[in-house]
Coordinates of all heavy atoms in Angstrom, one line a residue:
M1 N -81.3 -54.5 -75.2 CA -82.1 -53.5 -74.6 C -81.1 -52.3 -74.3 O -80.1 -52.5 -73.8 CB -82.6 -54.0 -73.3 CG -83.3 -53.0 -72.5 SD -84.2 -53.6 -71.0 CE -85.4 -54.5 -71.8
P2 N -81.5 -51.1 -74.8 CA -80.7 -49.9 -74.6 C -80.8 -49.4 -73.1 O -81.8 -49.7 -72.4 CB -81.3 -48.9 -75.5 CG -82.7 -49.4 -75.8 CD -82.7 -50.8 -75.6
Y3 N -79.8 -48.6 -72.7 CA -79.8 -48.1 -71.3 C -79.4 -46.6 -71.4 O -78.8 -46.1 -72.4 CB -78.6 -48.8 -70.5 CG -79.0 -50.2 -70.1 CD1 -78.7 -51.2 -71.0 CD2 -79.6 -50.5 -68.9 CE1 -79.1 -52.5 -70.7 CE2 -79.9 -51.8 -68.6 CZ -79.7 -52.8 -69.5 OH -79.9 -54.1 -69.1
A4 N -79.8 -45.9 -70.4 CA -79.5 -44.4 -70.3 C -79.4 -44.1 -68.8 O -79.7 -44.8 -67.9 CB -80.7 -43.6 -70.9
L5 N -78.9 -42.8 -68.6 CA -78.7 -42.3 -67.3 C -80.0 -41.5 -67.0 O -80.5 -40.7 -67.8 CB -77.5 -41.4 -67.3 CG -77.1 -40.6 -66.0 CD1 -76.7 -41.7 -64.9 CD2 -76.1 -39.6 -66.2
F6 N -80.5 -41.7 -65.7 CA -81.7 -41.1 -65.3 C -81.5 -40.3 -64.0 O -80.6 -40.8 -63.2 CB -82.8 -42.1 -65.0 CG -83.4 -42.6 -66.4 CD1 -82.8 -43.6 -67.0 CD2 -84.6 -42.1 -66.8 CE1 -83.4 -44.2 -68.2 CE2 -85.1 -42.6 -68.0 CZ -84.5 -43.6 -68.7
Y7 N -82.2 -39.3 -63.7 CA -82.4 -38.7 -62.4 C -83.8 -38.7 -62.2 O -84.5 -38.0 -62.9 CB -81.7 -37.3 -62.3 CG -81.9 -36.6 -61.0 CD1 -81.2 -37.1 -59.9 CD2 -82.8 -35.6 -60.7 CE1 -81.3 -36.6 -58.6 CE2 -83.0 -35.1 -59.5 CZ -82.3 -35.5 -58.5 OH -82.5 -35.0 -57.2
Q8 N -84.3 -39.3 -61.1 CA -85.7 -39.6 -60.9 C -86.3 -40.2 -62.2 O -85.8 -41.2 -62.6 CB -86.4 -38.3 -60.4 CG -85.8 -37.8 -59.1 CD -86.3 -36.5 -58.6 OE1 -87.0 -35.8 -59.2 NE2 -86.0 -36.2 -57.3
D9 N -87.3 -39.5 -62.8 CA -87.8 -40.1 -64.0 C -87.3 -39.4 -65.3 O -87.8 -39.7 -66.4 CB -89.4 -40.0 -64.0 CG -89.9 -41.0 -63.0 OD1 -89.3 -42.1 -62.8 OD2 -91.0 -40.8 -62.4
A10 N -86.4 -38.5 -65.1 CA -85.9 -37.8 -66.3 C -84.7 -38.4 -66.9 O -83.7 -38.8 -66.3 CB -85.5 -36.3 -65.9
K11 N -84.8 -38.7 -68.2 CA -83.7 -39.3 -69.0 C -82.7 -38.2 -69.2 O -83.0 -37.2 -69.9 CB -84.3 -39.9 -70.3 CG -83.2 -40.6 -71.1 CD -83.9 -41.2 -72.3 CE -82.8 -41.6 -73.4 NZ -83.5 -42.0 -74.6
L12 N -81.5 -38.4 -68.7 CA -80.4 -37.4 -68.9 C -79.4 -37.6 -70.0 O -78.7 -36.7 -70.4 CB -79.7 -37.2 -67.6 CG -80.5 -36.9 -66.4 CD1 -79.5 -36.8 -65.1 CD2 -81.2 -35.6 -66.5
S13 N -79.3 -38.8 -70.5 CA -78.3 -39.2 -71.5 C -79.0 -39.7 -72.7 O -80.2 -40.1 -72.7 CB -77.3 -40.1 -71.0 OG -77.8 -41.4 -70.9
K14 N -78.3 -39.8 -73.8 CA -78.7 -40.6 -75.0 C -78.8 -42.1 -74.5 O -78.2 -42.4 -73.5 CB -77.7 -40.4 -76.1 CG -77.6 -39.0 -76.6 CD -76.5 -38.9 -77.7 CE -76.4 -37.5 -78.2 NZ -75.3 -37.5 -79.2
A15 N -79.4 -42.9 -75.4 CA -79.4 -44.3 -75.2 C -78.1 -45.0 -75.6 O -77.6 -44.6 -76.7 CB -80.6 -44.9 -75.8
Y16 N -77.6 -46.0 -74.9 CA -76.4 -46.7 -75.3 C -76.7 -48.2 -75.3 O -77.7 -48.6 -74.6 CB -75.3 -46.3 -74.3 CG -74.8 -45.0 -74.5 CD1 -75.4 -43.9 -73.8 CD2 -73.8 -44.6 -75.4 CE1 -75.0 -42.6 -74.0 CE2 -73.4 -43.3 -75.6 CZ -74.0 -42.3 -74.9 OH -73.6 -41.0 -75.0
P17 N -76.0 -48.9 -76.0 CA -76.3 -50.4 -76.2 C -76.2 -51.2 -74.9 O -77.1 -52.1 -74.7 CB -75.3 -50.9 -77.2 CG -74.7 -49.7 -77.8 CD -74.9 -48.6 -76.9
T18 N -75.3 -50.9 -74.0 CA -75.2 -51.7 -72.7 C -75.2 -50.7 -71.5 O -74.8 -49.5 -71.6 CB -73.9 -52.5 -72.7 OG1 -72.8 -51.6 -72.7 CG2 -73.8 -53.3 -74.0
E19 N -75.4 -51.3 -70.4 CA -75.3 -50.6 -69.1 C -73.8 -50.2 -68.9 O -73.6 -49.1 -68.4 CB -75.8 -51.5 -68.0 CG -75.9 -50.9 -66.6 CD -76.5 -51.8 -65.6 OE1 -76.9 -52.9 -65.9 OE2 -76.5 -51.4 -64.4
A20 N -72.9 -51.0 -69.3 CA -71.5 -50.6 -69.1 C -71.1 -49.4 -69.9 O -70.3 -48.5 -69.5 CB -70.6 -51.8 -69.6
D21 N -71.7 -49.2 -71.0 CA -71.5 -47.9 -71.8 C -71.9 -46.7 -71.0 O -71.2 -45.7 -71.1 CB -72.2 -48.0 -73.1 CG -71.7 -49.1 -74.1 OD1 -70.5 -49.4 -74.0 OD2 -72.6 -49.7 -74.8
V22 N -73.1 -46.8 -70.3 CA -73.6 -45.7 -69.6 C -72.7 -45.4 -68.3 O -72.4 -44.3 -67.9 CB -75.0 -45.9 -69.2 CG1 -75.6 -44.6 -68.5 CG2 -75.9 -46.2 -70.4
W23 N -72.2 -46.5 -67.7 CA -71.2 -46.3 -66.6 C -70.0 -45.5 -67.1 O -69.5 -44.7 -66.3 CB -70.8 -47.7 -66.0 CG -71.8 -48.2 -65.0 CD1 -72.7 -49.2 -65.1 CD2 -71.8 -47.8 -63.6 NE1 -73.3 -49.4 -63.9 CE2 -72.8 -48.5 -63.0 CE3 -71.1 -46.9 -62.9 CZ2 -73.1 -48.4 -61.7 CZ3 -71.5 -46.7 -61.5 CH2 -72.5 -47.4 -60.9
T24 N -69.5 -45.9 -68.2 CA -68.3 -45.2 -68.7 C -68.7 -43.7 -68.9 O -67.9 -42.8 -68.5 CB -67.9 -45.8 -70.1 OG1 -67.5 -47.1 -69.9 CG2 -66.7 -45.0 -70.7
L25 N -69.8 -43.4 -69.4 CA -70.2 -42.0 -69.6 C -70.4 -41.3 -68.3 O -69.9 -40.2 -68.1 CB -71.6 -41.9 -70.3 CG -72.3 -40.6 -70.4 CD1 -71.6 -39.7 -71.4 CD2 -73.7 -40.8 -70.8
A26 N -70.9 -42.0 -67.3 CA -71.1 -41.4 -66.0 C -69.8 -41.1 -65.3 O -69.6 -40.1 -64.7 CB -72.0 -42.3 -65.1
R27 N -68.8 -42.1 -65.5 CA -67.4 -41.8 -64.9 C -66.8 -40.6 -65.5 O -66.2 -39.8 -64.8 CB -66.6 -43.1 -65.1 CG -66.7 -44.1 -64.2 CD -65.7 -45.3 -64.3 NE -66.1 -46.4 -63.6 CZ -66.8 -47.4 -64.1 NH1 -67.2 -47.4 -65.3 NH2 -67.2 -48.4 -63.3
K28 N -66.9 -40.5 -66.8 CA -66.3 -39.3 -67.5 C -67.0 -38.1 -67.1 O -66.3 -37.0 -67.2 CB -66.3 -39.5 -69.0 CG -65.4 -40.6 -69.5 CD -65.5 -40.7 -71.0 CE -64.6 -41.8 -71.5 NZ -64.7 -42.1 -72.9
S29 N -68.2 -38.1 -66.7 CA -69.0 -36.9 -66.3 C -68.8 -36.6 -64.9 O -69.3 -35.6 -64.4 CB -70.5 -37.1 -66.6 OG -70.6 -37.3 -68.0
G30 N -68.1 -37.4 -64.1 CA -67.9 -37.2 -62.7 C -69.0 -37.6 -61.8 O -69.1 -37.1 -60.7
L31 N -69.8 -38.5 -62.3 CA -71.0 -38.8 -61.5 C -70.8 -40.1 -60.7 O -71.8 -40.6 -60.0 CB -72.2 -39.0 -62.4 CG -72.6 -37.7 -63.2 CD1 -73.8 -38.1 -64.1 CD2 -73.0 -36.6 -62.3
V32 N -69.6 -40.7 -60.8 CA -69.4 -41.9 -60.0 C -68.5 -41.7 -58.8 O -67.4 -41.0 -59.0 CB -68.8 -43.0 -60.9 CG1 -68.4 -44.3 -60.2 CG2 -69.7 -43.3 -62.1
V33 N -68.8 -42.2 -57.7 CA -68.1 -42.0 -56.5 C -67.7 -43.4 -56.0 O -68.5 -44.4 -56.2 CB -68.7 -41.1 -55.4 CG1 -68.9 -39.7 -55.9 CG2 -70.1 -41.7 -55.0
D34 N -66.7 -43.5 -55.1 CA -66.4 -44.8 -54.4 C -67.1 -44.8 -53.1 O -66.9 -43.9 -52.3 CB -64.9 -45.0 -54.3 CG -64.2 -45.2 -55.6 OD1 -64.8 -45.8 -56.5 OD2 -63.0 -44.9 -55.7
A35 N -67.8 -45.9 -52.8 CA -68.5 -46.0 -51.5 C -68.0 -47.2 -50.8 O -67.6 -48.2 -51.4 CB -70.0 -46.2 -51.8
I36 N -67.9 -47.1 -49.5 CA -67.4 -48.2 -48.6 C -68.7 -48.6 -47.8 O -69.4 -47.8 -47.2 CB -66.4 -47.7 -47.7 CG1 -65.1 -47.2 -48.5 CG2 -65.9 -48.8 -46.7 CD1 -64.0 -46.6 -47.7
S37 N -68.8 -49.9 -47.8 CA -70.0 -50.5 -47.0 C -69.4 -51.4 -46.0 O -68.2 -51.8 -46.0 CB -70.9 -51.3 -48.0 OG -70.2 -52.4 -48.5
E38 N -70.2 -51.7 -45.0 CA -69.8 -52.5 -43.9 C -69.5 -54.0 -44.4 O -68.7 -54.7 -43.7 CB -70.8 -52.5 -42.8 CG -70.9 -51.2 -42.1 CD -71.9 -51.2 -41.0 OE1 -72.3 -52.3 -40.6 OE2 -72.2 -50.1 -40.5
E39 N -70.2 -54.4 -45.4 CA -70.0 -55.8 -45.9 C -68.7 -56.0 -46.6 O -68.1 -57.1 -46.6 CB -71.2 -56.2 -46.8 CG -72.5 -56.2 -46.2 CD -73.2 -54.8 -46.2 OE1 -73.1 -54.1 -47.3 OE2 -73.9 -54.5 -45.3
K40 N -68.2 -55.0 -47.3 CA -67.0 -55.1 -48.1 C -66.0 -54.1 -47.7 O -66.4 -52.9 -47.5 CB -67.3 -54.9 -49.6 CG -68.2 -56.0 -50.2 CD -68.4 -55.8 -51.6 CE -69.3 -56.9 -52.2 NZ -69.4 -56.8 -53.7
S41 N -64.8 -54.5 -47.6 CA -63.7 -53.5 -47.1 C -63.2 -52.7 -48.3 O -62.8 -51.5 -48.0 CB -62.6 -54.3 -46.5 OG -62.0 -55.1 -47.5
A42 N -63.3 -53.1 -49.5 CA -62.9 -52.3 -50.6 C -64.0 -51.4 -51.1 O -65.1 -51.8 -51.2 CB -62.4 -53.2 -51.8
P43 N -63.6 -50.2 -51.5 CA -64.7 -49.3 -52.1 C -65.2 -49.8 -53.4 O -64.5 -50.5 -54.1 CB -63.9 -48.0 -52.3 CG -62.5 -48.2 -51.9 CD -62.3 -49.6 -51.5
R44 N -66.4 -49.5 -53.6 CA -67.1 -49.9 -54.9 C -67.7 -48.7 -55.6 O -68.2 -47.7 -54.9 CB -68.1 -51.0 -54.7 CG -69.3 -50.5 -53.8 CD -70.4 -51.6 -53.5 NE -71.4 -51.2 -52.7 CZ -72.5 -50.5 -53.1 NH1 -72.6 -50.2 -54.4 NH2 -73.4 -50.1 -52.3
P45 N -67.7 -48.6 -56.8 CA -68.3 -47.5 -57.6 C -69.8 -47.4 -57.4 O -70.5 -48.4 -57.6 CB -67.8 -47.6 -59.0 CG -67.5 -49.1 -59.2 CD -67.1 -49.6 -57.8
V46 N -70.3 -46.2 -57.2 CA -71.8 -46.0 -57.1 C -72.0 -44.7 -57.8 O -71.1 -43.8 -57.9 CB -72.4 -46.0 -55.7 CG1 -72.2 -47.4 -55.1 CG2 -71.7 -44.9 -54.9
L47 N -73.3 -44.5 -58.3 CA -73.6 -43.2 -58.9 C -74.0 -42.2 -57.7 O -74.6 -42.6 -56.8 CB -74.8 -43.4 -59.7 CG -74.6 -44.2 -61.1 CD1 -75.9 -44.5 -61.7 CD2 -73.7 -43.4 -61.9
D48 N -73.5 -41.0 -57.9 CA -73.7 -39.9 -56.9 C -75.1 -39.3 -57.1 O -75.7 -39.4 -58.1 CB -72.7 -38.8 -57.2 CG -72.4 -38.0 -56.1 OD1 -72.9 -38.2 -54.9 OD2 -71.8 -36.9 -56.2
N49 N -75.6 -38.8 -56.0 CA -76.9 -37.9 -56.0 C -78.1 -38.6 -56.6 O -78.8 -38.0 -57.3 CB -76.6 -36.6 -56.7 CG -75.6 -35.8 -55.9 OD1 -75.6 -35.8 -54.8 ND2 -74.7 -35.1 -56.7
D50 N -78.3 -39.9 -56.3 CA -79.5 -40.6 -56.7 C -79.7 -40.7 -58.3 O -80.8 -40.9 -58.8 CB -80.7 -39.9 -56.2 CG -80.8 -39.9 -54.7 OD1 -80.3 -40.9 -54.1 OD2 -81.2 -38.9 -54.0
Y51 N -78.5 -40.6 -59.0 CA -78.7 -41.0 -60.5 C -78.8 -42.4 -60.6 O -78.4 -43.2 -59.7 CB -77.3 -40.5 -61.2 CG -77.2 -39.0 -61.2 CD1 -76.4 -38.3 -60.4 CD2 -77.9 -38.3 -62.3 CE1 -76.2 -36.9 -60.5 CE2 -77.7 -36.9 -62.3 CZ -76.9 -36.2 -61.5 OH -76.8 -34.9 -61.6
E52 N -79.4 -42.8 -61.7 CA -79.6 -44.3 -61.9 C -79.3 -44.6 -63.4 O -79.5 -43.7 -64.2 CB -81.1 -44.7 -61.7 CG -81.6 -44.6 -60.3 CD -83.0 -45.0 -60.2 OE1 -83.9 -44.1 -60.6 OE2 -83.3 -46.1 -59.8
I53 N -78.9 -45.8 -63.7 CA -78.7 -46.3 -65.0 C -79.8 -47.4 -65.1 O -79.9 -48.3 -64.4 CB -77.3 -46.9 -65.2 CG1 -76.3 -45.8 -65.1 CG2 -77.3 -47.6 -66.6 CD1 -74.9 -46.4 -65.2
R54 N -80.7 -47.2 -66.1 CA -81.8 -48.1 -66.3 C -82.1 -48.3 -67.8 O -81.7 -47.5 -68.6 CB -83.2 -47.5 -65.8 CG -83.1 -46.7 -64.5 CD -84.5 -46.5 -64.0 NE -85.1 -45.3 -64.6 CZ -85.9 -44.5 -64.0 NH1 -86.0 -44.5 -62.7 NH2 -86.5 -43.5 -64.7
P55 N -82.8 -49.4 -68.1 CA -83.2 -49.6 -69.4 C -84.1 -48.5 -69.9 O -84.8 -47.9 -69.0 CB -84.0 -50.9 -69.4 CG -83.6 -51.6 -68.1 CD -83.2 -50.5 -67.2
C56 N -84.2 -48.2 -71.2 CA -84.9 -47.0 -71.6 C -85.6 -47.3 -73.0 O -85.2 -48.2 -73.7 CB -84.1 -45.8 -71.7 SG -82.8 -45.9 -73.0
Q57 N -86.6 -46.5 -73.2 CA -87.2 -46.5 -74.6 C -86.3 -45.6 -75.5 O -85.8 -44.5 -75.1 CB -88.6 -45.9 -74.5 CG -89.5 -46.7 -73.6 CD -89.8 -48.1 -74.3 OE1 -90.0 -48.2 -75.5 NE2 -89.8 -49.1 -73.4
L58 N -86.2 -46.0 -76.7 CA -85.5 -45.1 -77.7 C -86.3 -44.0 -78.2 O -87.6 -44.1 -78.3 CB -85.1 -46.0 -78.9 CG -84.1 -47.1 -78.7 CD1 -83.9 -47.9 -79.9 CD2 -82.8 -46.5 -78.1
E59 N -85.8 -42.8 -78.4 CA -86.4 -41.7 -79.0 C -86.5 -42.1 -80.5 O -85.8 -42.9 -81.0 CB -85.5 -40.4 -78.9 CG -85.3 -40.0 -77.4 CD -86.5 -39.6 -76.7 OE1 -87.4 -39.0 -77.4 OE2 -86.6 -39.9 -75.5
P60 N -87.5 -41.4 -81.2 CA -87.5 -41.7 -82.7 C -86.2 -41.4 -83.4 O -85.5 -40.4 -83.1 CB -88.6 -40.7 -83.1 CG -89.4 -40.4 -81.9 CD -88.5 -40.5 -80.8
N61 N -85.9 -42.4 -84.2 CA -84.6 -42.3 -85.0 C -83.3 -42.3 -84.1 O -82.3 -41.9 -84.7 CB -84.6 -41.0 -85.9 CG -85.7 -41.0 -86.9 OD1 -86.1 -42.1 -87.5 ND2 -86.3 -39.9 -87.0
E62 N -83.4 -42.7 -82.9 CA -82.3 -42.8 -82.1 C -81.6 -44.2 -82.3 O -82.2 -45.2 -82.3 CB -82.6 -42.6 -80.6 CG -81.4 -42.6 -79.7 CD -81.7 -42.3 -78.2 OE1 -82.9 -42.5 -77.8 OE2 -80.9 -41.7 -77.5
D63 N -80.2 -44.2 -82.4 CA -79.5 -45.4 -82.6 C -78.4 -45.6 -81.5 O -77.4 -44.8 -81.5 CB -78.8 -45.3 -84.0 CG -78.0 -46.6 -84.3 OD1 -77.9 -47.5 -83.5 OD2 -77.4 -46.6 -85.4
P64 N -78.7 -46.5 -80.6 CA -77.6 -46.6 -79.5 C -76.2 -46.9 -79.9 O -75.3 -46.4 -79.4 CB -78.2 -47.8 -78.6 CG -79.7 -47.8 -79.0 CD -79.8 -47.3 -80.4
A65 N -76.1 -47.7 -81.0 CA -74.7 -48.0 -81.5 C -74.1 -46.8 -82.1 O -72.9 -46.6 -81.8 CB -74.8 -49.1 -82.6
K66 N -74.8 -45.9 -82.7 CA -74.2 -44.7 -83.2 C -73.9 -43.7 -82.0 O -72.8 -43.1 -82.1 CB -75.2 -44.0 -84.1 CG -74.6 -42.7 -84.7 CD -75.7 -41.9 -85.6 CE -75.2 -40.7 -86.2 NZ -74.6 -39.8 -85.3
N67 N -74.8 -43.7 -81.0 CA -74.4 -42.9 -79.9 C -73.2 -43.3 -79.2 O -72.3 -42.5 -78.8 CB -75.5 -42.9 -78.9 CG -76.8 -42.3 -79.3 OD1 -76.8 -41.5 -80.3 ND2 -77.9 -42.6 -78.7
K68 N -72.9 -44.6 -79.1 CA -71.7 -45.1 -78.5 C -70.5 -44.8 -79.4 O -69.4 -44.4 -78.9 CB -71.8 -46.7 -78.3 CG -70.5 -47.2 -77.7 CD -70.6 -48.7 -77.5 CE -69.4 -49.4 -76.9 NZ -68.2 -48.7 -76.9
A69 N -70.6 -45.0 -80.7 CA -69.5 -44.7 -81.6 C -69.2 -43.2 -81.5 O -68.0 -42.8 -81.5 CB -69.9 -45.0 -83.0
D70 N -70.2 -42.3 -81.4 CA -69.9 -40.9 -81.3 C -69.2 -40.6 -80.0 O -68.2 -39.8 -80.0 CB -71.2 -40.1 -81.4 CG -71.9 -40.1 -82.7 OD1 -71.2 -40.5 -83.8 OD2 -73.1 -39.8 -82.8
A71 N -69.7 -41.2 -78.9 CA -69.0 -41.0 -77.6 C -67.5 -41.5 -77.6 O -66.6 -40.8 -77.1 CB -69.8 -41.6 -76.5
D72 N -67.3 -42.6 -78.2 CA -65.9 -43.2 -78.3 C -65.1 -42.2 -79.2 O -63.9 -41.9 -78.8 CB -65.9 -44.5 -78.9 CG -66.5 -45.6 -78.0 OD1 -66.7 -45.3 -76.8 OD2 -66.8 -46.7 -78.5
R73 N -65.6 -41.7 -80.2 CA -64.8 -40.8 -81.0 C -64.5 -39.5 -80.3 O -63.4 -39.1 -80.4 CB -65.6 -40.5 -82.3 CG -64.9 -39.6 -83.4 CD -65.6 -39.5 -84.7 NE -67.0 -39.3 -84.7 CZ -67.9 -40.3 -84.9 NH1 -67.4 -41.6 -85.2 NH2 -69.2 -40.1 -84.8
E74 N -65.5 -38.9 -79.6 CA -65.2 -37.8 -78.8 C -64.2 -37.9 -77.7 O -63.4 -37.1 -77.5 CB -66.5 -37.3 -78.2 CG -67.5 -36.6 -79.1 CD -68.8 -36.2 -78.6 OE1 -68.9 -36.0 -77.3 OE2 -69.8 -36.1 -79.3
A75 N -64.2 -39.2 -77.1 CA -63.3 -39.5 -76.1 C -61.8 -39.5 -76.7 O -60.9 -39.1 -76.0 CB -63.6 -40.8 -75.4
R76 N -61.7 -40.0 -77.8 CA -60.4 -40.1 -78.4 C -59.8 -38.7 -78.8 O -58.7 -38.5 -78.8 CB -60.4 -40.9 -79.7 CG -60.5 -42.4 -79.4 CD -60.2 -43.3 -80.7 NE -61.0 -42.9 -81.8 CZ -62.2 -43.4 -82.1 NH1 -62.8 -44.3 -81.3 NH2 -62.9 -43.0 -83.1
L77 N -60.7 -37.8 -79.1 CA -60.3 -36.4 -79.5 C -60.1 -35.5 -78.3 O -59.4 -34.4 -78.5 CB -61.4 -35.8 -80.4 CG -61.6 -36.5 -81.7 CD1 -62.8 -35.9 -82.5 CD2 -60.4 -36.5 -82.6
E78 N -60.6 -35.9 -77.1 CA -60.4 -35.0 -76.0 C -58.9 -35.0 -75.5 O -58.3 -36.1 -75.5 CB -61.2 -35.5 -74.8 CG -62.7 -35.3 -75.0 CD -63.5 -35.8 -73.8 OE1 -62.9 -36.3 -72.9 OE2 -64.7 -35.7 -73.9
P79 N -58.4 -33.9 -75.2 CA -57.0 -33.8 -74.7 C -56.9 -34.5 -73.3 O -57.9 -34.4 -72.5 CB -56.7 -32.3 -74.5 CG -58.0 -31.7 -74.5 CD -59.0 -32.5 -75.2
R80 N -55.8 -35.2 -73.1 CA -55.7 -36.0 -71.8 C -54.8 -35.1 -70.9 O -53.8 -34.7 -71.3 CB -55.1 -37.3 -72.0 CG -56.0 -38.2 -72.8 CD -55.5 -39.6 -72.7 NE -56.6 -40.4 -73.4 CZ -56.5 -41.7 -73.5 NH1 -55.5 -42.4 -72.9 NH2 -57.4 -42.4 -74.2
L81 N -55.2 -35.0 -69.6 CA -54.4 -34.3 -68.7 C -53.6 -35.3 -67.9 O -54.1 -36.3 -67.4 CB -55.3 -33.5 -67.7 CG -56.2 -32.6 -68.4 CD1 -57.2 -31.9 -67.3 CD2 -55.4 -31.5 -69.0
N82 N -52.3 -35.1 -67.7 CA -51.5 -36.0 -67.0 C -51.3 -35.6 -65.6 O -51.3 -34.5 -65.2 CB -50.1 -36.1 -67.6 CG -50.2 -36.8 -69.0 OD1 -51.1 -37.6 -69.2 ND2 -49.3 -36.4 -69.9

């Protein structure tokens, strides 16, 4: 089942093969923040501003595996800041 990033009912990202792939995209986009809860002392990552990662319907001719491969290739080409 493919997953994507949503805000309310609007699909904001391409579809990716797994939920973990969308978390990676959200982290790179600056949409993940660390939250502290009363139950756990260590911070845990959450999506900022009511964004959600959910299962999604594919657009016509959309290929989640290709979307992931394209994102991985782009990530390798981006300059890294130290």
Side-chain angles (χ1 to χ4, degrees):
M1 173 173 295
Y3 290 84
L5 181 68
F6 286 82
Y7 179 72
Q8 296 176 352
D9 288 328
K11 181 179 167 189
L12 300 179
S13 73
K14 296 177 182 177
Y16 290 88
T18 69
E19 188 175 354
D21 296 325
V22 185
W23 273 101
T24 299
L25 171 73
R27 276 188 195 91
K28 289 179 181 179
S29 299
L31 300 176
V32 177
V33 296
D34 288 330
I36 299 174
S37 66
E38 292 180 14
E39 296 89 35
K40 296 184 178 183
S41 60
R44 63 181 177 85
V46 296
L47 291 169
D48 200 13
N49 295 322
D50 298 323
Y51 290 101
E52 296 179 279
I53 296 172
R54 320 191 280 221
C56 67
Q57 297 293 321
L58 293 176
E59 300 295 326
N61 300 318
E62 187 174 26
D63 181 357
K66 182 182 179 311
N67 292 342
K68 180 179 180 344
D70 290 346
D72 290 345
R73 184 173 37 262
E74 288 177 22
R76 285 192 307 272
L77 295 175
E78 289 177 3
R80 294 194 177 185
L81 302 175
N82 290 333

